[in-house]
Amino acid sequence: MKKLFIIGGMGAGKSTATRALLDQGLPLIDLDVVGHDILKWEVVKEELAEAFGDDILDEDGEVMRSKLAAKAFKTPADTRKLNRITMPRIEEAYTDKLAEIEASGSDAVVVEYSAFKNRESSLAYSADVVIAILAPTDVRIERAVASGFDEDDVRRRITRQITDADRVEAADVVFNNNSTKEELYNKVLDWWNTYNA
């Protein structure tokens, strides 16, 4: 089963590229969703509360992502602490989902990977194709703010992500998304039809 990883910075257009492939019947693993799902695991909640304080949990004992983020992304050391707790569980959940999809007989799967850093030491080590979606930083900020994000938060997140140059170096296929959603959608579709053939 071919694993097609879609990477790109916040507001670059990963969702549009993903949609083009899902509309061709490919299944999706969104690693952001996997990351949110594992926050419901009891063992993860316990370890996060121990590491960052009980005030990251609401009255029902569920993780409040905004409270966790405020603490976990304060310093690089805090982020490493978060990753030590969450990354092995994300990998476990991802591997289970991959096995399910492969067992269903699918020829390919789309994996949307916002937190991509490199191919070697990440879930993308097993990628058959890494597809990078790029867009100018000012355009990305504008898009993210238009979709409801706070501008300062967007700028902070972008500075913590790898650069587009790093993405180009890691990618097998690169799409520049400096035009419309339709144009990007069609470019990805054309690529898929050629690759699939």
Side-chain angles (χ1 to χ4, degrees), residues 2 20 32-33 37 39 43 68 75 82 94 96 111 114 119 155 161-162 197:
K2 298 292 184 195
D32 278 352
V33 173
D37 288 347
L39 295 180
V43 63
L68 174 62
T75 69
L82 171 72
Y94 163 73
D96 290 348
V111 182
S114 301
R119 277 174 101 135
R155 288 180 184 280
Q161 294 180 329
I162 62 169

Side-chain angles (χ1 to χ4, degrees), residues 24-40:
Q24 308 319 301
L26 273 67
L28 168 69
I29 299 174
D30 183 336
L31 290 172
D32 278 352
V33 173
V34 173
H36 296 163
D37 288 347
I38 63 124
L39 295 180
K40 297 181 177 82

